[in-house]
Amino acid sequence: MSQMTNEVDNNVHYDDQTGSQLNDDGNGVGVVLKKGPWTAAEDALLVNYVQKHGEGNWNVVQNYSGLSRCGKSCRLRWANHLRPNLKKGAFTAEEERMIAELHAKMGNKWARMAAHLPGRTDNEIKNYWNTRMKRRRRAGLPLYPPEVLLQAFQERKHGQGTGEISDGDGGHRDFLKKNNYEIHDAIFDSLKENQGILPFLPDLPAISANSFLPNGLGSPPYCNLLPSTLPNHDHLQESTMSFIGSSELNSNRFYPFDHIKDNTSDKISESFGLYSPLDRGVSHGSICYSHSLSNGNSSTSKPTSEAVKSELPSLQIPETEFGSWGTSPPPPLNESLDVFIHSPQPPNALDSGSSSPLNSGLLDALLYQANTLGCSKNNSSDKSSNSSIATPGDRAECSALNMYETEWEDYADPLSPFGATSILNEHPVVSTNGNSWDEWELFQTFSENSADNNERLQSIDQVWTPKSENQSMSLLNFTLPDVLITSDWHELYSDHDSTNQAIMTEASDDISGQ
DNA sequence: AAGCATGACAACCGCAATTAG
DNA sequence: ACTAATTGCGGTTGTCATGCT
């Protein structure tokens, strides 16, 4: 890097600037070890050493090479920069897709991910992901492309989760599978991270709580959601019921966004964990409350803001804990669910009366989403009739949708394996050049100023067809167009809904089918 | 042009796991 | 079996470049 090139022959500068540390490995006590950026001369020394002695024994490098670096630093330098076959430069589209996919499966297992990306280092991947995630989070965008979510979900569902990608982290998965409690990491991760996948429901029909809770949690699909092996089922049910009771699900009919009619659209985003670009507060409830379940264990003793801090993607649970679950009674799961279920709601949530499924946690948000999708297919009249509700929410929803639509522009590259081509061919896009962020804003403005939402939603209804539903299940290669400034953008909208629907249908099937 | 925000990297730190004695 | 050393990993921080206001 340019940084490095500027550092050649300036040892003194960096010694003074970055300080030093004493060697603590006994090899040269009192020797001042250099820190900071490596110089070309140091690199040469290290390369020379490795060529002569091979990798390893890093702590003795300074003895043989004359380097004043600790072994750790040498190893890192070699691994990240000097070893042969390192691939430099920007990640390719394929690599980016791989990273998203791997992260959806593995979480922050950078080293494992690097193993699947020849020539790339864990540090590189980590930096890439963190930067990318920061950017996306700031923009309020979901971390994973829907097709990655769907694919991962399907793979997990069909027991081919590891497939060609073995993360070696099957411990907790085994546990999950054994307990028929297999919910894909990525789904929860995505929900937890920013839940961008949820808010882009095409519309928000009023649905009857009874329609998907015919007999409360004691009947499908909820009863099947619970691990059949749970010995403390009653307890869990009771807990879950109280959880449901805390929401508006116990009313005959609830309007998911009704309660936010009078609130700002931020509440929707907050409820679904969709970050507002303007508000990245770390204490957003949805993040906090989703954490316990997504982790599958109760980590709520810690400040929930940590969920944000740690950027936990997948089931980032110490494997020992899961391992112990496998050999000991499942109460931890109960507890975790219990904790999740009884997750304290922020006072304002209660005060505002927004104890809706949106605020009560990602589980019912997920289920709500899944069921809503089901309802939306069967009840277009409801859809249209309800498209008139919650104007502010609708706007927020629209915003979320818009974000989603432009979200995966990275994957809209015609060369991308996600294959934007077909979509782009099917749906003429007016503008498709370059980066779309500005265009997205333009589009958002367009959307917000466009004809009233009812009309838009009706259009969506019109373009919904069983065909698109069927297609949705084969949309693994579906890619969002780069830009959606198009006269018939609602058709794209509809296709996104298809993907979304596919995901949520999978989620619903997966949950109810367990 | 200056200041600021952000991105991209590189490197360090601490902890945990593994290995060697 | 125990301990220390080594290695690996993930989180975090620091620096520079770039773009925007």
Side-chain angles (χ1 to χ4, degrees):
Chain A
M1 293 303 295
S2 59
Q3 288 176 242
M4 296 305 301
T5 59
N6 296 331
E7 295 151 7
V8 178
D9 298 328
N10 59 352
N11 281 345
V12 175
H13 169 71
Y14 277 104
D15 283 343
D16 291 343
Q17 185 183 55
T18 63
S20 60
Q21 68 180 40
L22 294 180
N23 190 350
D24 58 354
D25 63 0
N27 295 325
V29 174
V31 172
V32 175
L33 295 180
K34 186 168 172 287
K35 294 169 68 176
W38 282 65
T39 66
E42 288 178 311
D43 284 345
L45 286 173
L46 183 55
V47 169
N48 190 44
Y49 167 82
V50 174
Q51 285 175 348
K52 287 181 179 176
H53 301 92
E55 299 182 43
N57 295 321
W58 296 111
N59 281 334
V60 302
V61 170
Q62 59 172 311
N63 293 346
Y64 293 93
S65 66
L67 279 170
S68 296
R69 296 276 185 173
C70 70
K72 223 174 177 178
S73 183
C74 292
R75 187 188 67 81
L76 201 66
R77 182 66 184 172
W78 174 258
N80 287 345
H81 300 279
L82 301 178
R83 68 182 165 90
N85 301 324
L86 274 182
K87 197 187 291 182
K88 292 293 183 182
F91 286 100
T92 65
E94 171 64 16
E95 286 174 325
E96 290 181 354
R97 186 195 62 81
M98 276 285 289
I99 290 171
E101 196 174 313
L102 290 168
H103 193 272
K105 295 173 184 295
M106 300 177 181
N108 293 4
K109 300 299 180 186
W110 313 117
R112 287 181 195 170
M113 293 166 71
H116 295 284
L117 293 165
R120 300 296 187 179
T121 68
D122 53 351
N123 208 35
E124 232 177 339
I125 296 169
K126 178 172 59 182
N127 285 334
Y128 163 77
W129 184 263
N130 287 338
T131 301
R132 171 183 172 280
M133 186 171 65
K134 198 195 304 180
R135 184 169 63 240
R136 303 190 76 82
R137 172 167 287 176
R138 185 180 297 114
L141 303 174
L143 287 177
Y144 302 105
E147 52 274 0
V148 167
L149 286 177
L150 178 59
Q151 181 176 1
F153 201 95
Q154 287 178 328
E155 285 179 359
R156 185 74 62 83
K157 178 182 177 182
H158 297 119
Q160 54 183 349
T162 51
E164 71 283 2
I165 298 174
S166 173
D167 59 10
D169 193 16
H172 63 268
R173 284 184 191 160
D174 289 344
F175 164 75
L176 291 175
K177 287 184 178 181
K178 285 171 187 170
N179 289 280
N180 294 326
Y181 195 76
E182 182 185 351
I183 301 175
H184 195 274
D185 300 350
I187 297 300
F188 286 113
D189 296 342
S190 185
L191 291 168
K192 179 181 55 170
E193 289 288 348
N194 41 40
Q195 283 90 36
I197 203 71
L198 281 177
F200 57 83
L201 266 171
D203 43 75
L204 297 161
I207 62 176
S208 167
N210 291 337
S211 69
F212 70 96
L213 282 176
N215 296 301
L217 288 170
S219 53
Y222 275 84
C223 63
N224 289 332
L225 169 66
L226 307 177
S228 58
T229 55
L230 285 179
N232 205 6
H233 195 207
D234 292 342
H235 173 58
L236 180 57
Q237 265 200 359
E238 179 184 345
S239 302
T240 312
M241 285 304 291
S242 63
F243 149 64
I244 294 298
S246 69
S247 74
E248 294 176 4
L249 293 176
N250 56 352
S251 62
N252 286 336
R253 190 174 179 82
F254 77 93
Y255 296 81
F257 283 84
D258 220 7
H259 67 288
I260 42 171
K261 262 194 275 192
D262 301 329
N263 295 331
T264 65
S265 58
D266 287 347
K267 284 221 174 279
I268 299 177
S269 303
E270 193 172 324
S271 299
F272 269 143
L274 178 74
Y275 298 124
S276 161
L278 301 177
D279 183 2
R280 286 294 154 264
V282 295
S283 59
H284 278 183
S286 59
I287 302 163
C288 306
Y289 303 140
S290 64
H291 188 58
S292 59
L293 180 60
S294 64
N295 264 3
N297 69 348
S298 172
S299 58
T300 52
S301 58
K302 290 186 176 183
T304 50
S305 60
E306 222 170 270
V308 173
K309 180 180 175 231
S310 61
E311 320 289 9
L312 285 178
S314 304
L315 290 162
Q316 295 270 8
I317 312 162
E319 292 181 22
T320 52
E321 290 189 41
F322 268 107
S324 65
W325 287 15
T327 55
S328 59
L333 180 56
N334 281 341
E335 290 173 13
S336 72
L337 278 173
D338 226 31
V339 169
F340 165 70
I341 286 160
H342 291 299
S343 295
Q345 294 204 348
N348 60 344
L350 296 173
D351 294 341
S352 65
S354 56
S355 55
S356 71
L358 306 179
N359 270 352
S360 54
L362 67 90
L363 174 58
D364 67 346
L366 183 66
L367 289 164
Y368 162 71
Q369 167 96 1
N371 283 282
T372 301
L373 285 165
C375 291
S376 69
K377 281 188 294 186
N378 301 328
N379 197 347
S380 60
S381 60
D382 270 2
K383 289 171 69 176
S384 56
S385 65
N386 287 294
S387 63
S388 61
I389 67 169
T391 300
D394 205 24
R395 181 168 176 258
E397 172 207 355
C398 178
S399 175
L401 275 160
N402 294 341
M403 282 190 248
Y404 179 77
E405 284 172 337
T406 54
E407 155 60 304
W408 292 102
E409 66 222 30
D410 297 343
Y411 296 86
D413 184 336
L415 299 177
S416 163
F418 283 88
T421 312
S422 61
I423 294 296
L424 292 172
N425 290 342
E426 291 176 16
H427 304 281
V429 175
V430 170
S431 171
T432 58
N433 62 321
N435 286 333
S436 60
W437 184 250
D438 291 341
E439 292 166 327
W440 171 76
E441 290 183 329
L442 180 62
F443 169 64
Q444 189 180 36
T445 303
F446 162 78
S447 298
E448 290 174 355
N449 295 333
S450 66
D452 72 89
N453 290 326
N454 289 346
E455 183 178 339
R456 176 175 63 80
L457 291 168
Q458 283 171 356
S459 299
I460 293 163
D461 288 346
Q462 289 165 5
V463 298
W464 169 264
T465 63
K467 181 188 173 197
S468 62
E469 180 186 3
N470 292 335
Q471 287 173 338
S472 70
M473 295 313 295
S474 59
L475 277 172
L476 289 179
N477 292 325
F478 172 83
T479 303
L480 305 181
D482 201 0
V483 179
L484 291 160
I485 305 176
T486 166
S487 57
D488 52 354
W489 60 274
H490 55 270
E491 293 182 22
L492 298 175
Y493 192 127
S494 151
D495 275 341
H496 292 180
D497 177 48
S498 298
T499 305
N500 179 35
Q501 173 138 8
I503 295 170
M504 298 313 299
T505 302
E506 286 290 312
S508 177
D509 291 348
D510 205 53
I511 291 170
S512 62
Q514 296 300 322

